[in-house]
Amino acid sequence: MKMISALVLAMIATAAAAETPEQTAANLLDPAKVANIAADPKAAVAAMTNLMDPATSLILMQKSMDPATFTKMMQAGMSPDILKAYMAFMDPNMYMKWLAASMDPNFYTAAMAPLMNPNMYMKWLGAPLDPRVLQMAMAPLNPNMYMNWALAPVNPANLNMMMAPLNPNLYTQWAGAAADPKTYGTWGGFMNPATYGNIANPFAGFIPAAPAAK
């Protein structure tokens, strides 16, 4: 049991260390990926760790000033990937993962590690002098920011997004994702005919299997 707990802690620590504040900010601004964070305890710990770093908040604020950020969020919202991401909340395996994490003290240790790290507090104390903070403070004086927002309605990316509902491929992709058993995780097995095997064919047991082709 101790070996399993140590392995879980190592996996959580690796996930938290592997994800940078930039990656966490990008995932939080993606409607599909933010669901993946909530569905996976390891990803949630990595996100919480980086959210305690002022760099993540600075990146989120910087991206909120760019209209392209909201264009990407809306594009992700129309993608069938968002269906796959949120269907994970119907999968009992997700709740089993969180139940196992809730009973593992190493999970809480990994989640509280940033609070016990003095370097994290030093980062917050030094945040007002961070060049990125000074850049954001000067952003309202930059006319390019207002031009980006004024020209957003005629941005090709936004025009393509507005035309997306007229593209039949969008609905074909959504229909394909809705009919794919993999979209529903464990429950998808009930939609897959291969799950039932011989039950669907009561005579399968009396018919010898064909030899595999060489």
Side-chain angles (χ1 to χ4, degrees):
M1 191 68 179
K2 291 182 178 179
M3 184 179 296
I4 295 175
S5 296
L7 181 60
V8 171
L9 179 59
M11 292 173 65
I12 291 174
T14 301
E19 190 168 279
T20 63
E22 289 78 7
Q23 291 172 328
T24 296
N27 291 338
L28 291 174
L29 292 173
D30 189 319
K33 292 181 180 178
V34 74
N36 294 334
I37 292 175
D40 187 355
K42 290 185 292 183
V45 168
M48 287 188 292
T49 300
N50 284 328
L51 279 173
M52 293 178 189
D53 189 330
T56 304
S57 299
L58 292 174
I59 294 167
L60 289 171
M61 286 189 285
Q62 284 179 330
K63 288 184 177 294
S64 68
M65 296 182 182
D66 187 356
T69 299
F70 300 95
T71 300
K72 292 178 181 178
M73 291 177 67
M74 295 184 68
Q75 287 173 336
M78 290 192 292
S79 171
D81 291 338
I82 199 169
L83 176 64
K84 299 176 183 179
Y86 283 92
M87 282 298 106
F89 292 100
M90 296 178 60
D91 191 343
N93 284 336
M94 187 206 74
Y95 299 98
M96 291 302 295
K97 287 181 181 179
W98 277 102
L99 180 61
S102 67
M103 294 187 293
D104 188 352
N106 291 320
F107 176 79
Y108 297 101
T109 301
M112 294 179 63
L115 296 175
M116 297 181 288
N117 184 0
N119 186 45
M120 191 67 70
Y121 297 98
M122 292 302 296
K123 287 183 179 181
W124 280 102
L125 288 173
L129 301 178
D130 192 309
R132 288 171 294 187
V133 174
L134 300 177
Q135 288 176 1
M136 283 191 295
M138 298 298 292
L141 303 178
N142 185 356
N144 288 333
M145 185 185 76
Y146 302 101
M147 288 299 296
N148 288 338
W149 281 99
L151 296 175
V154 293
N155 187 315
N158 288 329
L159 295 176
N160 290 335
M161 183 179 61
M162 287 186 284
M163 297 297 293
L166 302 179
N167 186 354
N169 288 333
L170 176 66
Y171 304 99
T172 302
Q173 292 172 3
W174 272 91
D180 187 355
K182 296 178 182 178
T183 300
Y184 307 96
T186 303
W187 296 112
F190 295 103
M191 297 174 56
N192 190 351
T195 301
Y196 303 97
N198 293 340
I199 298 177
N201 182 5
F203 301 103
F206 302 99
I207 301 174
K214 296 182 179 179

PDB file of all heavy atoms in Angstrom, residues 170-187:
ATOM      1  N   LEU A 170     -19.548  20.356 -39.957  1.00  0.00           N
ATOM      2  CA  LEU A 170     -19.600  20.559 -38.511  1.00  0.00           C
ATOM      3  C   LEU A 170     -20.609  19.620 -37.873  1.00  0.00           C
ATOM      4  O   LEU A 170     -20.333  18.979 -36.847  1.00  0.00           O
ATOM      5  CB  LEU A 170     -19.967  22.021 -38.215  1.00  0.00           C
ATOM      6  CG  LEU A 170     -20.152  22.372 -36.733  1.00  0.00           C
ATOM      7  CD1 LEU A 170     -18.826  22.254 -35.991  1.00  0.00           C
ATOM      8  CD2 LEU A 170     -20.711  23.786 -36.584  1.00  0.00           C
ATOM      9  N   TYR A 171     -21.773  19.494 -38.490  1.00  0.00           N
ATOM     10  CA  TYR A 171     -22.821  18.636 -37.932  1.00  0.00           C
ATOM     11  C   TYR A 171     -22.475  17.153 -38.130  1.00  0.00           C
ATOM     12  O   TYR A 171     -22.837  16.316 -37.299  1.00  0.00           O
ATOM     13  CB  TYR A 171     -24.155  18.977 -38.584  1.00  0.00           C
ATOM     14  CG  TYR A 171     -24.513  20.436 -38.429  1.00  0.00           C
ATOM     15  CD1 TYR A 171     -24.289  21.331 -39.462  1.00  0.00           C
ATOM     16  CD2 TYR A 171     -25.023  20.919 -37.228  1.00  0.00           C
ATOM     17  CE1 TYR A 171     -24.587  22.679 -39.314  1.00  0.00           C
ATOM     18  CE2 TYR A 171     -25.327  22.267 -37.069  1.00  0.00           C
ATOM     19  CZ  TYR A 171     -25.096  23.148 -38.117  1.00  0.00           C
ATOM     20  OH  TYR A 171     -25.381  24.484 -37.950  1.00  0.00           O
ATOM     21  N   THR A 172     -21.771  16.864 -39.211  1.00  0.00           N
ATOM     22  CA  THR A 172     -21.326  15.478 -39.418  1.00  0.00           C
ATOM     23  C   THR A 172     -20.337  15.069 -38.332  1.00  0.00           C
ATOM     24  O   THR A 172     -20.406  13.948 -37.809  1.00  0.00           O
ATOM     25  CB  THR A 172     -20.668  15.335 -40.804  1.00  0.00           C
ATOM     26  OG1 THR A 172     -21.586  15.722 -41.819  1.00  0.00           O
ATOM     27  CG2 THR A 172     -20.232  13.899 -41.046  1.00  0.00           C
ATOM     28  N   GLN A 173     -19.430  15.976 -37.976  1.00  0.00           N
ATOM     29  CA  GLN A 173     -18.457  15.682 -36.923  1.00  0.00           C
ATOM     30  C   GLN A 173     -19.143  15.505 -35.573  1.00  0.00           C
ATOM     31  O   GLN A 173     -18.793  14.613 -34.792  1.00  0.00           O
ATOM     32  CB  GLN A 173     -17.428  16.811 -36.854  1.00  0.00           C
ATOM     33  CG  GLN A 173     -16.514  16.882 -38.063  1.00  0.00           C
ATOM     34  CD  GLN A 173     -15.638  18.120 -38.051  1.00  0.00           C
ATOM     35  OE1 GLN A 173     -15.675  18.913 -37.113  1.00  0.00           O
ATOM     36  NE2 GLN A 173     -14.842  18.297 -39.093  1.00  0.00           N
ATOM     37  N   TRP A 174     -20.137  16.354 -35.294  1.00  0.00           N
ATOM     38  CA  TRP A 174     -20.875  16.222 -34.036  1.00  0.00           C
ATOM     39  C   TRP A 174     -21.653  14.902 -33.995  1.00  0.00           C
ATOM     40  O   TRP A 174     -21.692  14.231 -32.948  1.00  0.00           O
ATOM     41  CB  TRP A 174     -21.830  17.401 -33.859  1.00  0.00           C
ATOM     42  CG  TRP A 174     -21.183  18.571 -33.180  1.00  0.00           C
ATOM     43  CD1 TRP A 174     -20.540  19.618 -33.765  1.00  0.00           C
ATOM     44  CD2 TRP A 174     -21.112  18.796 -31.766  1.00  0.00           C
ATOM     45  NE1 TRP A 174     -20.068  20.485 -32.813  1.00  0.00           N
ATOM     46  CE2 TRP A 174     -20.406  20.012 -31.577  1.00  0.00           C
ATOM     47  CE3 TRP A 174     -21.572  18.113 -30.652  1.00  0.00           C
ATOM     48  CZ2 TRP A 174     -20.155  20.540 -30.314  1.00  0.00           C
ATOM     49  CZ3 TRP A 174     -21.329  18.643 -29.397  1.00  0.00           C
ATOM     50  CH2 TRP A 174     -20.633  19.834 -29.234  1.00  0.00           C
ATOM     51  N   ALA A 175     -22.272  14.547 -35.127  1.00  0.00           N
ATOM     52  CA  ALA A 175     -23.022  13.287 -35.180  1.00  0.00           C
ATOM     53  C   ALA A 175     -22.089  12.099 -35.010  1.00  0.00           C
ATOM     54  O   ALA A 175     -22.413  11.119 -34.316  1.00  0.00           O
ATOM     55  CB  ALA A 175     -23.780  13.186 -36.506  1.00  0.00           C
ATOM     56  N   GLY A 176     -20.898  12.187 -35.622  1.00  0.00           N
ATOM     57  CA  GLY A 176     -19.926  11.104 -35.474  1.00  0.00           C
ATOM     58  C   GLY A 176     -19.452  10.964 -34.039  1.00  0.00           C
ATOM     59  O   GLY A 176     -19.311   9.848 -33.531  1.00  0.00           O
ATOM     60  N   ALA A 177     -19.221  12.102 -33.374  1.00  0.00           N
ATOM     61  CA  ALA A 177     -18.786  12.050 -31.974  1.00  0.00           C
ATOM     62  C   ALA A 177     -19.889  11.524 -31.077  1.00  0.00           C
ATOM     63  O   ALA A 177     -19.637  10.770 -30.129  1.00  0.00           O
ATOM     64  CB  ALA A 177     -18.349  13.441 -31.519  1.00  0.00           C
ATOM     65  N   ALA A 178     -21.142  11.898 -31.371  1.00  0.00           N
ATOM     66  CA  ALA A 178     -22.267  11.439 -30.553  1.00  0.00           C
ATOM     67  C   ALA A 178     -22.512   9.941 -30.713  1.00  0.00           C
ATOM     68  O   ALA A 178     -22.982   9.278 -29.781  1.00  0.00           O
ATOM     69  CB  ALA A 178     -23.524  12.218 -30.915  1.00  0.00           C
ATOM     70  N   ALA A 179     -22.199   9.409 -31.895  1.00  0.00           N
ATOM     71  CA  ALA A 179     -22.429   7.982 -32.154  1.00  0.00           C
ATOM     72  C   ALA A 179     -21.226   7.117 -31.811  1.00  0.00           C
ATOM     73  O   ALA A 179     -21.330   5.889 -31.859  1.00  0.00           O
ATOM     74  CB  ALA A 179     -22.802   7.781 -33.622  1.00  0.00           C
ATOM     75  N   ASP A 180     -20.119   7.736 -31.456  1.00  0.00           N
ATOM     76  CA  ASP A 180     -18.897   6.983 -31.154  1.00  0.00           C
ATOM     77  C   ASP A 180     -18.945   6.489 -29.701  1.00  0.00           C
ATOM     78  O   ASP A 180     -19.024   7.300 -28.768  1.00  0.00           O
ATOM     79  CB  ASP A 180     -17.677   7.876 -31.359  1.00  0.00           C
ATOM     80  CG  ASP A 180     -16.366   7.101 -31.230  1.00  0.00           C
ATOM     81  OD1 ASP A 180     -16.410   5.902 -30.895  1.00  0.00           O
ATOM     82  OD2 ASP A 180     -15.307   7.707 -31.459  1.00  0.00           O
ATOM     83  N   PRO A 181     -18.887   5.175 -29.467  1.00  0.00           N
ATOM     84  CA  PRO A 181     -18.916   4.677 -28.077  1.00  0.00           C
ATOM     85  C   PRO A 181     -17.784   5.213 -27.219  1.00  0.00           C
ATOM     86  O   PRO A 181     -17.929   5.346 -26.006  1.00  0.00           O
ATOM     87  CB  PRO A 181     -18.811   3.153 -28.254  1.00  0.00           C
ATOM     88  CG  PRO A 181     -19.287   2.889 -29.648  1.00  0.00           C
ATOM     89  CD  PRO A 181     -18.878   4.084 -30.444  1.00  0.00           C
ATOM     90  N   LYS A 182     -16.643   5.556 -27.832  1.00  0.00           N
ATOM     91  CA  LYS A 182     -15.505   6.052 -27.065  1.00  0.00           C
ATOM     92  C   LYS A 182     -15.821   7.393 -26.395  1.00  0.00           C
ATOM     93  O   LYS A 182     -15.184   7.753 -25.402  1.00  0.00           O
ATOM     94  CB  LYS A 182     -14.282   6.196 -27.966  1.00  0.00           C
ATOM     95  CG  LYS A 182     -13.779   4.881 -28.541  1.00  0.00           C
ATOM     96  CD  LYS A 182     -12.586   5.105 -29.457  1.00  0.00           C
ATOM     97  CE  LYS A 182     -12.105   3.799 -30.080  1.00  0.00           C
ATOM     98  NZ  LYS A 182     -10.976   4.009 -31.020  1.00  0.00           N
ATOM     99  N   THR A 183     -16.791   8.105 -26.941  1.00  0.00           N
ATOM    100  CA  THR A 183     -17.150   9.407 -26.374  1.00  0.00           C
ATOM    101  C   THR A 183     -17.682   9.255 -24.960  1.00  0.00           C
ATOM    102  O   THR A 183     -17.488  10.141 -24.119  1.00  0.00           O
ATOM    103  CB  THR A 183     -18.206  10.089 -27.259  1.00  0.00           C
ATOM    104  OG1 THR A 183     -17.665  10.281 -28.563  1.00  0.00           O
ATOM    105  CG2 THR A 183     -18.630  11.428 -26.686  1.00  0.00           C
ATOM    106  N   TYR A 184     -18.321   8.142 -24.671  1.00  0.00           N
ATOM    107  CA  TYR A 184     -19.026   7.969 -23.397  1.00  0.00           C
ATOM    108  C   TYR A 184     -18.254   7.145 -22.377  1.00  0.00           C
ATOM    109  O   TYR A 184     -18.800   6.754 -21.355  1.00  0.00           O
ATOM    110  CB  TYR A 184     -20.400   7.345 -23.653  1.00  0.00           C
ATOM    111  CG  TYR A 184     -21.204   8.108 -24.670  1.00  0.00           C
ATOM    112  CD1 TYR A 184     -21.224   7.721 -26.017  1.00  0.00           C
ATOM    113  CD2 TYR A 184     -21.908   9.250 -24.311  1.00  0.00           C
ATOM    114  CE1 TYR A 184     -21.935   8.433 -26.957  1.00  0.00           C
ATOM    115  CE2 TYR A 184     -22.635   9.971 -25.251  1.00  0.00           C
ATOM    116  CZ  TYR A 184     -22.638   9.557 -26.574  1.00  0.00           C
ATOM    117  OH  TYR A 184     -23.343  10.274 -27.504  1.00  0.00           O
ATOM    118  N   GLY A 185     -16.986   6.876 -22.656  1.00  0.00           N
ATOM    119  CA  GLY A 185     -16.166   6.154 -21.690  1.00  0.00           C
ATOM    120  C   GLY A 185     -16.708   4.769 -21.393  1.00  0.00           C
ATOM    121  O   GLY A 185     -17.018   3.984 -22.295  1.00  0.00           O
ATOM    122  N   THR A 186     -16.868   4.476 -20.098  1.00  0.00           N
ATOM    123  CA  THR A 186     -17.354   3.152 -19.685  1.00  0.00           C
ATOM    124  C   THR A 186     -18.742   2.868 -20.228  1.00  0.00           C
ATOM    125  O   THR A 186     -19.037   1.750 -20.669  1.00  0.00           O
ATOM    126  CB  THR A 186     -17.373   3.062 -18.155  1.00  0.00           C
ATOM    127  OG1 THR A 186     -16.059   3.322 -17.656  1.00  0.00           O
ATOM    128  CG2 THR A 186     -17.809   1.674 -17.710  1.00  0.00           C
ATOM    129  N   TRP A 187     -19.619   3.875 -20.200  1.00  0.00           N
ATOM    130  CA  TRP A 187     -20.984   3.668 -20.670  1.00  0.00           C
ATOM    131  C   TRP A 187     -21.021   3.405 -22.173  1.00  0.00           C
ATOM    132  O   TRP A 187     -21.976   2.824 -22.676  1.00  0.00           O
ATOM    133  CB  TRP A 187     -21.851   4.886 -20.354  1.00  0.00           C
ATOM    134  CG  TRP A 187     -22.026   5.132 -18.892  1.00  0.00           C
ATOM    135  CD1 TRP A 187     -21.538   6.164 -18.162  1.00  0.00           C
ATOM    136  CD2 TRP A 187     -22.728   4.297 -17.961  1.00  0.00           C
ATOM    137  NE1 TRP A 187     -21.882   6.044 -16.846  1.00  0.00           N
ATOM    138  CE2 TRP A 187     -22.617   4.902 -16.688  1.00  0.00           C
ATOM    139  CE3 TRP A 187     -23.433   3.100 -18.075  1.00  0.00           C
ATOM    140  CZ2 TRP A 187     -23.188   4.360 -15.546  1.00  0.00           C
ATOM    141  CZ3 TRP A 187     -24.004   2.551 -16.940  1.00  0.00           C
ATOM    142  CH2 TRP A 187     -23.878   3.172 -15.692  1.00  0.00           C
TER     143      TRP A 187
END
